[in-house]
Amino acid sequence: MKVKLTTKILDANDRIAEENKRMFKDAGVYVINLMSSPGAGKTSLLEKTISAIKDKVKVGVIEGDITGTNDAERIERLGVPVVQINTEGACHLDANMIAEAARELPLKDLDVLFIENVGNLVCPAEFKVGEDMKVMILSITEGDDKPLKYPLMFQESSVLLINKIDLKDLLDVNIEKIKKDAQFLNPKIKIFEISCKTGQGINEWTSWLLTNIS
């Protein structure tokens, strides 16, 4: 019975996600679902990314957190429209949440919409929200075993951003193993080594992004 219930929940979510996708397509906005564990650097990456591209494309953001508005306030200071979703305990955003939040954004005035999902390496990968692309961040402080421990996240993502690369000399972590395991799970995944602190790799990531959303 549990399997059937889960299937019904995912099927219902997928139907709403398809409706969202049509809505976004009609508005001409490209949607990116940004996922990671807590503390991997999603909001810092968004700040760097938005600062690099906002003069070239019009950006909007939906922020997902269990509670609080800190991340949305950080994004708002960049001068882009942002809507905060508080899930009140849910470990991921779902398509219905995004449908409601999207109504508060000027979609037809946007080129790109970033959805910052709740910090979690499991549930966000299971729930489509109407995105064109899933992008995940993995901090090297999390260790090099995460691709094989949480395979769905890597299998579902088009891009892997390996963050906090500036700490690599201080940590016992095998970055090549992360890449190898991620590519084993998903041969098409695009990988960038970045540091939101130093800016390393941000130009490469944002240049690729602009090319692929245009």
Side-chain angles (χ1 to χ4, degrees):
M1 291 298 293
K2 289 183 179 179
V3 173
K4 289 182 180 178
L5 179 59
T6 301
T7 300
K8 288 181 180 179
I9 291 171
L10 290 173
D11 286 347
N13 181 81
D14 287 353
R15 286 194 295 271
I16 300 172
E18 284 302 314
E19 293 172 4
N20 288 349
K21 195 158 190 171
R22 286 192 293 271
M23 173 180 64
F24 294 137
K25 184 177 180 180
D26 289 344
V29 59
Y30 192 94
V31 181
I32 297 169
N33 186 357
L34 186 61
M35 309 177 298
S36 79
S37 63
K42 291 189 300 298
T43 309
S44 295
L45 184 277
L46 267 182
E47 289 174 320
K48 292 288 187 182
T49 301
I50 292 169
S51 296
I53 70 174
K54 68 177 182 178
D55 291 336
K56 301 177 181 68
V57 292
K58 296 177 182 177
V59 179
V61 177
I62 294 175
E63 281 286 346
D65 287 294
I66 291 175
T67 188
T69 61
N70 182 65
D71 292 347
E73 290 169 9
R74 287 169 60 181
I75 297 302
E76 192 172 39
R77 287 194 285 269
L78 298 175
V80 301
V82 56
V83 175
Q84 175 74 56
I85 297 175
N86 285 148
T87 65
E88 302 297 339
C91 61
H92 62 275
L93 298 177
D94 63 32
N96 192 54
M97 294 177 190
I98 297 304
E100 293 184 8
R103 297 189 189 107
E104 300 181 38
L105 288 168
L107 289 180
K108 292 188 177 180
D109 295 331
L110 302 179
D111 299 307
V112 185
L113 174 62
F114 289 98
I115 298 171
E116 181 178 341
N117 220 309
V118 178
N120 189 305
L121 282 181
V122 181
C123 302
E126 297 178 333
F127 284 79
K128 298 175 183 177
V129 295
E131 71 272 29
D132 294 290
M133 182 195 325
K134 287 185 173 75
V135 173
M136 74 163 294
I137 304 173
L138 180 72
S139 166
I140 63 171
T141 57
E142 298 174 69
D144 52 31
D145 59 349
K146 294 303 177 290
L148 298 184
K149 280 190 172 182
Y150 302 94
L152 185 62
M153 180 69 72
F154 294 84
Q155 290 166 336
E156 288 288 318
S157 296
S158 299
V159 178
L160 168 62
L161 301 171
I162 302 177
N163 192 24
K164 304 184 183 181
I165 205 72
D166 54 292
L167 300 176
K168 64 181 180 180
D169 293 335
L170 304 175
L171 300 171
D172 183 18
V173 59
N174 188 333
I175 296 171
E176 291 307 311
K177 173 175 167 44
I178 294 173
K179 292 180 180 180
K180 181 181 177 181
D181 290 345
Q183 289 168 333
F184 170 75
L185 294 166
N186 181 356
K188 295 182 179 180
I189 198 167
K190 182 73 175 176
I191 300 175
F192 296 90
E193 295 182 19
I194 66 167
S195 168
C196 291
K197 182 177 178 63
T198 68
Q200 179 182 342
I202 298 297
N203 285 340
E204 290 81 359
W205 149 242
T206 55
S207 295
W208 180 90
L209 178 63
L210 287 170
T211 299
N212 282 269
I213 64 178
S214 58

